[in-house]
Amino acid sequence: MGTDYWLVHARWTIPPSLVLWFFFRKLRTPRDVYKTCFLITLREDAHTLHKQATIPWDSYLIRNRIWSYPQSSVVGPTLFAIPYEEIFFFFIQTYLTATVYALFTRPVVHAVLLPRMPEEGRATRWVGTAGFLAVTAAAVAKLKEGGEGTYLALIVGWVAPFLALLWFITSNHILAMPPYAVVLPILLPTLYLWECDARALQRGTWVIEQGTKLGLSFRGLEIEEAVFFLLTNVMVVFGLIACDYCLAVHDLRSYDKRTSSTFPPLSQFIPILINCPDAKQRQCIDDLRHALDVLEVHSKSFSTASMVFDGRLRLDLLALYAWCRVCDDLVDNASSVPVASSNIDLIRRFLSLVYPSDPSNPVALPTRPSGRELNEVLGDLSENEKGAFRLLTLLPISRPPLDELIEGFETDLRFLALSSGAATQTGPRAAASLPIRTDEDLLTYSNNVASSVADLCVQLVWAHTSSSASSSSERTAILSAARTMGKALQLVNIARDVPADQRIHRMYLPATPLDAPLRALTQERRRLLDLAKAMAGQSRSEIERLPKEARGGIRAACDVYLSIGEAVAQALEEGRIEDRARVNKATRAWTAWSAL
């Protein structure tokens, strides 16, 4: 009886697990828990078959004296001849690798990686599967031969069939993912466990018997052990990718079914595996890809904050923000006032098509018009712009906040009209002709362009979370707080963009002429930042009553944007009045993590 093996855990496996738990605990979603538990426990799921086979395989190694543990290394109790210390190793290795994978794949939106056509990657799938099966056959032949190399053949012969299965299911998804998101979750735990295993072998905590190993080693690490940890981590990562692939297909299929659930029922498992994307699904994949491209360029803060959401909620938030961005560009980047006005009319016609019932109905959800009807309304928009409009028809949101957004676009149109012709005069008279003359005008504008979006975001949260406010009064209070927070974030945006807006003949500061010296506006910009901070503080307590699945993500998204306000205040304090204050990606990520 001994404790060497438990000391290995105390020194090598438990500390990094606790560190990873601490740093990842705020980012962990129900799906992360779901995937890790499926890999650790003996659940009836295709992605955990390798764990079901681990215990009999390891038991065979021990009973046939290929692998052994000195009495001084283990406490004594066993399960099928396997020490409990070894069984614990199965679990904690899976947890380590799964958590590293979850950290590196947090930025990945798996739905946009799904193949559009069934023939995509078919050759790669079959060649890779055939290769793993050939390796399996070679390992079986070596086992029949026996002698040196038996242990390596047992490792490869045990792993290769499962890798063949996982590769056949998800090879397209594996290859579509960013290389770092696949390689690093395999490589980092493998290198760490190689060092751990080499130390344990040198101490004699466990022993590979002579006669079945090749006898090749590096720095005390046997070649068989190096292959074992590499291949088992490949299995874990491939299993997690298979999980993400299935969940992404489930999310995509949920658009057709007009349902939303975090996990697919077991009855849907086989249909998901054999899913062949139809024309609607292919179009949705393309539209989501374009939406993600738009946000990665034009809304980095939201792109960062969206990482804390999961599943359909994340996809729908991305789609909503992309549509808002596209509509904003249709007005702001129009070549002339008539073109911008025509684009606003286009948006109105689109909403009338999608919401054919009473437009004031606060609960009516969008219909899904045919492609021909959409093309008739959307006219000469680019295919990417049309994609954002198509995505909006899939979202469970009501029309009133969208109409408020159009009113905000009309205010921007008035600015465009002023800057394009006669009303370019300066001085007090020019300030009186601007659309925003009082604080009330400013708050109305902020309500239209930002509170409306906050309202829509809360609607999506309620549509995609299992727990939600039970009473109408509670929902009203939460929605009011969210709209107040939206105004606060818009005030931050206005205070930051004063120099840029002034260059394009816009002035959102109340009663301020277009030609006002920028330095003279510093105090007013600070006032807006202080007002935004106060409004955000007032709304926090109600926002904390959002469903727990989204509460942390909404808080993180708000704090990431409010951090821009702090950067603007610092720039003004330092006299950098013309700078468009930015927050780097690392700071945004830390702010989001701290807010969770």
Side-chain angles (χ1 to χ4, degrees), residues 281-300:
Q281 289 180 339
R282 293 195 296 270
Q283 186 68 71
C284 189
I285 292 170
D286 283 343
D287 293 343
L288 287 169
R289 288 174 179 175
H290 296 318
L292 197 61
D293 290 340
V294 167
L295 294 178
E296 286 179 345
V297 173
H298 297 291
S299 188
K300 292 183 174 62

Side-chain angles (χ1 to χ4, degrees), residues 304 560 563 582-594:
T304 299
V560 165
S563 68
R582 299 179 184 274
V583 180
N584 62 49
K585 183 178 291 187
T587 302
R588 292 199 305 268
W590 175 256
T591 300
W593 186 88
S594 301

Side-chain angles (χ1 to χ4, degrees), residues 325 327-334 340 412-413 416 504 506 508:
R325 181 74 257 176
C327 289
D328 194 52
D329 288 346
L330 286 174
V331 178
D332 288 350
N333 298 340
D412 290 332
L413 181 63
L416 186 61
I504 59 174
R506 293 190 184 188
Y508 294 97

